[in-house]
Amino acid sequence: MSAASMDVIVSLCKRRGFVFQSSEIYGGTGSCWDYGPLGVELRNNIKRIWWRDFVQQRNDMVGLDASILMHPTVWKASGHVDNFTDPMVDCRECKRRFRADQAGTMDWTHYCPATKGNKFTIKGGERCPHCGARRTLCPECGKGELTAPRQFNLMFKTFMGPVEEDAAVTYLRPETAQGIFVNFDNVLQATRRKLPFGIAQIGKAFRNEITPGNFIFRSREFEQMEIEYFVNPHDRVDGRPADEAWHDRWIADCQSWFTRYGLDHANVKLHEHLGDELAHYSKRTVDLLYRFPMGWNELMGIANRTDFDLKQHAKFSGKSLTWFDEERKEHVVPFVIEPSAGVDRALLAFLLDAYREEEVRGDKRVVLRFHPELAPIKIAVLPLLKKRPEIVAAGHDLRHRLTRRWLTLYDDTAAIGRLYRRQDEVGTPYCVTVDVKTVGDPEKGEAGDGKVTIRERDTMQQIRVPIAELEHVFGRLLDAGTPWSEVAAGYPRAEG
Ligand code: ATP
């Protein structure tokens, strides 16, 4: 498991400007989050590499950006108006509301009769060690009875236009997928694609979750990265029905994407939906789980949604949503494989997995070992002596040059040791220091050597590199992905 507890990550996120609670000065909402200066970079990096790897670099994928507000019939056709519900229960005493399926797994408050009514907090699902009772009352206050479960629709209702009447009711989308299905034919006509092909979209989704929580894991406003991959169910791939073979390929691709960018294999596993868990439209669904501090939980889902959505939209809209199979001379409704990931859950998992506390020469060092592609800041330029104007000027000049290709920050607000620690804590892979040797010392008649020190985050090794070669060196490290050890072998080591 990751070394980090949720509290440690929440506090780091706030302190260093990754994530803030929404509307904090008004007491916060508890269910929405704002991404700060570093958070927005990390988030954009996740979305950028996902889009690059799954859309731009593949010949069988295109992108889409559909609107959040859609025709209300979309949500009738998709089944969300009738089925997108969670059973909820209310406490008759404290009036708190829970998801019926979560009340049993939460830690619960117990006033134990065997210990004169002393108050205990007992782990979810476990019995009281003193009286042996199981939870029956409200898990939060420990006093009130819970109501029978009632269905609660998770969609946010709103009104389109100036009149608040039933005819104007619409919803904030609870998933991005439906924007893809309703545009299936538009994309097909515009791009002349043949099956199999996929449409991807990244965008906000909204769910009025009954019990949001665990930081950004479950919020009411979040972002999804979704793909609908359309296949011909009559085709065979690897000797199997095409939808089944493509489903397995997407499961493998998604899992290896997350581990390629840093998640430890031991912290990721697959979960097969069985029995009741399988949605009515799904032939098979597999979740990718991550070992979050609160336990194994869904990072993303990969579902075989069959032809359910296209058929539903064809039925409700009266438009044909088919693809013409030239070989078989027939119209087919494609089957759909849907890899659906949450940006916020991905960000949380990457943060947790990257977090390390290390001991360096007797001091604690906190470091985020982000994959360089994810790191919010790629390079920090740090002057060794800010009293020397030539050093400061050279530092600013370097930042200006490097930031055109890699986000580079200049910082001279502390001593070098502290500056390194600050960059380690936010996962900056490389620091460049400018010192007296770089610029020389005219008073002593010493000319500068035009070289700077590059320090690598994980090994803390330092090498001395001519300024003229910096773009080339960082091109190898940050663009070509050449390992540090290989690049560092070509330059003299600098003193740590
Ligand atoms: P859960 O069972 O955790 O509620 P789900 O199965 O309803 O999730 P999907 O509808 O499959 O989720 O949505 C796809 C992805 O969107 C999820 O795997 C998750 O990464 C993300 N996601 C869904 N709901 C939320 C939420 N409330 N907050 C943050 N991310 C979410």
Side-chain angles (χ1 to χ4, degrees):
M1 199 197 291
S2 159
S5 71
M6 199 67 106
D7 287 348
V8 165
I9 290 295
V10 173
S11 133
L12 172 73
C13 281
K14 165 138 199 228
R15 194 162 28 88
R16 300 308 312 271
F18 283 95
V19 186
F20 307 124
Q21 203 183 126
S22 161
S23 323
E24 194 182 350
I25 59 166
Y26 289 104
T29 62
S31 61
C32 298
W33 300 90
D34 297 342
Y35 288 84
L38 293 179
V40 71
E41 296 296 340
L42 175 58
R43 202 179 159 77
N44 284 343
N45 289 342
I46 293 172
K47 293 190 280 184
R48 184 179 49 77
I49 58 175
W50 185 90
W51 193 261
R52 181 194 64 199
D53 294 351
F54 287 126
V55 185
Q56 297 175 330
Q57 293 193 342
R58 292 179 62 128
N59 212 18
D60 56 351
M61 292 288 306
V62 292
L64 181 80
D65 190 359
S67 65
I68 288 173
L69 295 173
M70 300 173 76
H71 194 288
T73 312
V74 168
W75 307 110
K76 288 208 179 77
S78 67
H80 282 83
V81 171
D82 295 327
N83 299 320
F84 196 57
T85 55
D86 271 342
M88 56 160 206
V89 290
D90 291 297
C91 172
R92 294 191 201 277
E93 199 69 28
C94 70
K95 308 292 176 212
R96 282 203 185 79
R97 180 164 282 185
F98 309 94
R99 251 170 69 172
D101 57 336
Q102 284 175 357
T105 57
M106 296 168 66
D107 292 354
W108 56 289
T109 303
H110 179 51
Y111 292 91
C112 175
T115 61
K116 297 189 187 148
N118 280 345
K119 183 178 169 186
F120 297 99
T121 302
I122 299 172
K123 276 219 143 314
E126 291 182 9
R127 288 172 186 272
C128 169
H130 310 288
C131 69
R134 283 196 182 280
R135 186 200 62 80
T136 51
L137 302 173
C138 169
E140 201 72 47
C141 72
K143 292 184 176 155
E145 302 227 328
L146 296 178
T147 60
R150 278 181 291 154
Q151 291 300 330
F152 171 76
N153 196 299
L154 301 186
M155 282 197 294
F156 278 95
K157 245 186 210 172
T158 186
F159 297 94
M160 192 91 100
V163 192
E164 291 196 10
E165 59 184 16
D166 283 355
V169 165
T170 189
Y171 305 92
L172 298 188
R173 68 180 176 203
E175 60 176 32
T176 61
Q178 300 304 323
I180 298 181
F181 294 127
V182 300
N183 277 294
F184 170 73
D185 201 50
N186 284 337
V187 174
L188 199 59
Q189 297 307 326
T191 62
R192 304 268 145 219
R193 290 274 153 175
K194 285 196 166 63
L195 294 184
F197 78 95
I199 305 176
Q201 164 158 241
I202 299 179
K204 289 267 180 157
F206 304 83
R207 297 183 186 178
N208 201 2
E209 300 276 5
I210 300 166
T211 37
N214 286 318
F215 193 32
I216 53 175
F217 176 82
R218 187 181 304 285
S219 50
R220 295 200 170 113
E221 174 179 338
F222 56 98
E223 199 158 16
Q224 291 185 312
M225 309 185 279
E226 291 199 299
I227 292 168
E228 305 302 329
Y229 195 77
F230 301 96
V231 302
N232 188 339
H234 304 141
D235 283 350
R236 293 190 77 78
V237 173
D238 306 333
R240 301 164 60 201
D243 58 309
E244 294 177 12
W246 275 107
H247 195 184
D248 278 335
R249 285 185 187 179
W250 275 108
I251 294 166
D253 281 0
C254 292
Q255 185 164 8
S256 66
W257 189 83
F258 276 104
T259 50
R260 181 162 12 124
Y261 292 108
L263 299 194
D264 189 333
H265 289 267
N267 289 336
V268 177
K269 72 175 182 189
L270 298 176
H271 165 75
E272 191 89 33
H273 283 220
L274 298 171
D276 283 353
E277 213 188 338
L278 198 63
H280 60 283
Y281 52 74
S282 173
K283 178 168 161 184
R284 181 182 171 219
T285 296
V286 173
D287 287 343
L288 189 57
L289 306 186
Y290 179 73
R291 201 196 311 225
F292 289 97
M294 65 281 185
W296 289 100
N297 267 290
E298 177 177 333
L299 179 59
M300 70 172 297
I302 306 121
N304 180 346
R305 295 178 76 120
T306 67
D307 54 7
F308 174 82
D309 302 271
L310 289 178
K311 276 192 171 156
Q312 283 293 104
H313 287 301
K315 188 167 124 195
F316 278 73
S317 68
K319 301 276 178 342
S320 145
L321 296 176
T322 58
W323 176 77
F324 188 66
D325 183 345
E326 294 283 355
E327 261 173 47
R328 299 186 181 92
K329 300 287 177 229
E330 63 181 14
H331 285 277
V332 287
V333 183
F335 267 36
V336 179
I337 306 302
E338 180 190 75
S340 170
V343 176
D344 313 79
R345 283 191 197 175
L347 188 142
L348 181 57
F350 283 129
L351 264 171
L352 285 160
D353 228 287
Y355 185 90
R356 300 278 188 295
E357 284 176 12
E358 299 171 355
E359 206 184 293
V360 180
R361 296 187 204 118
D363 281 341
K364 183 175 123 180
R365 158 173 114 126
V366 169
V367 56
L368 288 178
R369 288 180 176 244
F370 280 136
H371 187 287
E373 296 247 36
L374 289 179
I377 301 163
K378 310 293 184 213
I379 305 165
V381 176
L382 315 170
L384 216 54
L385 267 181
K386 74 171 177 184
K387 282 191 213 116
R388 292 278 304 271
E390 315 88 275
I391 294 182
V392 171
H396 281 297
D397 183 53
L398 271 182
R399 187 208 72 87
H400 185 69
R401 257 175 59 190
L402 295 172
T403 207
R404 280 185 225 146
R405 288 177 63 185
W406 309 282
L407 185 58
T408 305
L409 172 118
Y410 172 89
D411 190 5
D412 65 6
T413 57
I416 190 69
R418 162 96 48 103
L419 293 178
Y420 280 149
R421 294 290 175 269
R422 274 190 204 160
Q423 294 307 318
D424 290 343
E425 201 185 33
V426 299
T428 306
Y430 303 105
C431 291
V432 171
T433 47
V434 185
D435 54 28
V436 180
K437 277 198 271 165
T438 314
V439 294
D441 191 345
E443 277 176 22
K444 292 190 188 154
E446 287 168 12
D449 66 2
K451 293 180 180 169
V452 288
T453 300
I454 301 180
R455 171 197 185 258
E456 198 263 345
R457 178 195 66 202
D458 298 345
T459 58
M460 293 180 282
Q461 285 172 358
Q462 304 188 6
I463 55 172
R464 196 79 184 157
V465 177
I467 289 177
E469 289 176 34
L470 278 183
E471 265 103 345
H472 173 68
V473 168
F474 284 123
R476 290 177 69 198
L477 290 167
L478 291 167
D479 297 342
T482 313
W484 165 258
S485 54
E486 207 176 295
V487 174
Y491 293 94
R493 284 283 173 86
E495 288 299 307

